[in-house]
Amino acid sequence: MFKNIKKPKLSFWQIWNMNVGFLGIQFSFGLQQSAVNPIFLYLGATEDLLPILNIAGPVTGLIVQPIIGAISDKTWSPKFGRRKPFFLIGAIIGSLCLFAFPFSPVLWVAVLMLWILDIGNNMAMEPYRALIGDKLPKKQLSFGYQMQSLFVGAGTLIAMISIIYFQDIFGLEEEAAGSIPKWLYYAFFVGAILSITTVLWSISRTKEIPPTEEEMEEINQFRKLSLKDKFKQPFVEIAQTVKTMPKFMWKIAGVYLFQWYALFVYWQYIVPLLKNTLNFTIGEATSQAAKMSLTYNSVTMVVALALVPLTLKFGGRKIYAASLVGTAVALFIIPFVNDPILLLVPMTLFGIGWAAMMGIPYTMVSKIVPQNKRGIYMGILNMMIVIPMGIETVTFGPIYKYLLGGNAINAILFGGVFFAIAAFLALRLKPSASESVTEL
């Protein structure tokens, strides 16, 4: 049995510095949400192919994050720490790929770039989630994860500002098949710089807590294994952990199935929707989608920390469920608004939902999992994100083409229905008596 480590309470700025690296990682994810699908369209992809072209995210997340989580649990270096080496390597891969991405000459190269970028981002993301649980005492977990939610909003916000800013500077070029406009290049260049510099900031200002004697013994046993056994062990440990994980996590998996399927639909089809409802070009629709994303991520930054006292007062599941209802309402409204300015209004609800999605579930899970398995459990939680995304990439293309009439309006409404279902399931996130989850 592993002893609980008594963790010192950290100051606001210590938690802030620890999370700064999330800014660069989320800038990269922001570009994936708003700029990658337009690049695919510029390079000749049809709308019904967008889901399958995005399969890199779910597949790499499914494979990379739990494996990195399991390996980082068994890692310790007095000089480099436990989690920090992994998100540094991931940030380096992501930075190099962001720089190269807009130079993609044809569609298949852009798809390959997305695969490499996702490997880097997922390698950086999972240890970052585990680091919060490693460093913070239970009373500060909610604050730590909502601080991450704030940086999720900030990273995506800056990504959207860069898209709008560079498009404004260079102007909308005449769209030509097979050509990526120059204004997109510079947004990716900014992302390449931020991805590595923000992670270096956090690494240089954050010390990890050394493992206990029991944990160190387990780490040393892992080090003694042959290369073959070291490769096999994460897969074995993931399978064993899934079999024995708390029922509470299965309930979260149900919420995530509908929530993340709907989010992927929104990110893929908001540009086609705006082309339809506002009669925009790809460039104009990308700019409008960026403004909408800028709006909801601004709201996320404002409300992320404000959710902490609300969850303490009303309980995490109630606030989580209410936020998902708001996100569903936003998606039901968006297709019927024909004014670009008024389209920003429902994004307020979307932003509140995004803040809750990025913080509350991680706090819930972090409170019920053991210290020595936090990395692998956070990896499994990410599997619950990428599996619905993977299902969406292989199923929604035919659904869009044959059941929704190839109409992006119907796609966004479909996403709204799935958010409503997720909200209903979130109300069931009440832990059993045997699970040591406290209401947030």
Side-chain angles (χ1 to χ4, degrees):
M1 189 75 178
F2 286 86
K3 296 177 183 177
N4 288 323
I5 301 172
K6 189 172 182 180
K7 304 168 188 175
K9 185 178 179 180
L10 300 188
S11 70
F12 175 91
W13 291 112
Q14 285 175 311
I15 298 173
W16 174 278
N17 286 331
M18 183 167 56
N19 281 295
V20 164
F22 225 62
L23 179 81
I25 296 168
Q26 289 303 319
F27 188 107
S28 179
F29 275 113
L31 289 178
Q32 283 184 238
Q33 293 168 18
S34 295
V36 166
N37 283 304
I39 284 176
F40 289 161
L41 292 172
Y42 278 122
L43 295 176
T46 57
E47 290 180 7
D48 61 295
L49 282 178
L50 292 179
I52 197 66
L53 293 177
N54 281 271
I55 199 170
V59 172
T60 55
L62 184 63
I63 296 171
V64 173
Q65 285 213 29
I67 291 174
I68 292 298
I71 294 173
S72 68
D73 283 339
K74 301 293 190 297
T75 298
W76 174 252
S77 164
K79 183 176 180 181
F80 300 107
R82 171 179 284 178
R83 315 292 183 184
K84 292 193 292 185
F86 295 95
F87 53 75
L88 175 60
I89 294 169
I92 292 170
I93 294 171
S95 291
L96 293 173
C97 195
L98 283 170
F99 184 83
F101 205 118
F103 293 101
S104 302
V106 289
L107 181 60
W108 72 265
V109 175
V111 172
L112 177 62
M113 287 291 103
L114 180 58
W115 278 85
I116 300 170
L117 178 61
D118 263 313
I119 289 171
N121 284 342
N122 279 292
M123 192 171 183
M125 172 76 77
E126 194 288 330
Y128 234 123
R129 295 292 193 192
L131 180 68
I132 299 299
D134 291 346
K135 287 279 291 180
L136 296 180
K138 185 173 283 191
K139 288 184 178 180
Q140 287 190 303
L141 282 175
S142 182
F143 183 79
Y145 282 113
Q146 287 306 136
M147 179 72 82
Q148 274 198 352
S149 185
L150 183 151
F151 277 103
V152 168
T156 312
L157 179 79
I158 298 171
M160 299 309 104
I161 290 173
S162 70
I163 290 174
I164 297 166
Y165 175 74
F166 289 118
Q167 189 184 89
D168 186 57
I169 287 179
F170 296 101
L172 279 169
E173 304 166 22
E174 186 175 340
E175 295 180 0
S179 176
I180 299 172
K182 291 293 183 289
W183 53 267
L184 270 175
Y185 281 58
Y186 295 95
F188 278 81
F189 295 163
V190 171
I193 294 168
L194 278 180
S195 181
I196 188 64
T197 54
T198 56
V199 165
L200 287 173
W201 177 281
S202 289
I203 287 174
S204 65
R205 285 162 174 76
T206 303
K207 283 189 176 182
E208 296 194 61
I209 298 174
T212 63
E213 290 182 11
E214 294 92 338
E215 287 177 312
M216 200 66 226
E217 184 179 342
E218 190 175 83
I219 290 168
N220 287 331
Q221 289 175 353
F222 179 75
R223 287 173 176 170
K224 292 175 183 177
L225 295 176
S226 66
L227 186 62
K228 180 181 177 182
D229 287 337
K230 283 181 180 177
F231 179 78
K232 286 167 52 179
Q233 181 152 327
F235 296 96
V236 174
E237 191 170 357
I238 290 165
Q240 291 173 343
T241 304
V242 169
K243 285 180 183 178
T244 60
M245 73 181 185
K247 291 181 180 178
F248 185 79
M249 288 190 68
W250 288 109
K251 292 178 182 178
I252 287 183
V255 179
Y256 272 20
L257 174 63
F258 292 94
Q259 171 187 303
W260 287 98
Y261 193 111
L263 279 167
F264 233 38
V265 169
Y266 171 81
W267 289 329
Q268 289 165 5
Y269 284 95
I270 187 60
V271 168
L273 172 86
L274 297 171
K275 285 175 59 187
N276 183 330
T277 58
L278 300 180
N279 198 28
F280 278 171
T281 64
I282 296 174
E284 290 169 335
T286 301
S287 179
Q288 177 65 27
K291 291 171 185 173
M292 294 165 69
S293 184
L294 189 153
T295 302
Y296 81 73
N297 281 284
S298 297
V299 173
T300 294
M301 287 183 63
V302 172
V303 305
L305 298 184
L307 288 178
V308 176
L310 287 175
T311 55
L312 287 170
K313 183 175 181 179
F314 299 106
R317 66 191 177 93
K318 292 178 183 176
I319 299 300
Y320 187 25
S323 71
L324 291 173
V325 169
T327 312
V329 170
L331 264 63
F332 290 143
I333 293 172
I334 288 168
F336 303 105
V337 179
N338 298 317
D339 186 302
I341 302 299
L342 290 179
L343 270 172
L344 304 181
V345 176
M347 303 317 294
T348 303
L349 292 173
F350 200 106
I352 295 170
W354 187 232
M357 292 177 228
M358 290 291 97
I360 293 174
Y362 294 96
T363 307
M364 288 176 161
V365 171
S366 195
K367 288 183 176 182
I368 66 171
V369 300
Q371 166 73 26
N372 65 308
K373 285 184 172 288
R374 186 165 277 120
I376 191 170
Y377 269 110
M378 288 298 167
I380 290 170
L381 187 61
N382 186 72
M383 290 170 66
M384 296 176 184
I385 294 172
V386 298
I387 288 172
M389 287 182 170
I391 294 171
E392 192 272 350
T393 61
V394 297
T395 61
F396 196 72
I399 290 172
Y400 179 75
K401 188 174 182 178
Y402 298 110
L403 296 182
L404 301 180
N407 190 327
I409 292 175
N410 294 334
I412 299 299
L413 293 174
F414 183 98
V417 171
F418 267 38
F419 269 122
I421 296 171
F424 172 77
L425 294 176
L427 288 173
R428 298 173 61 250
L429 292 178
K430 192 171 183 179
S432 63
S434 62
E435 294 169 341
S436 58
V437 181
T438 56
E439 281 294 321
L440 303 183

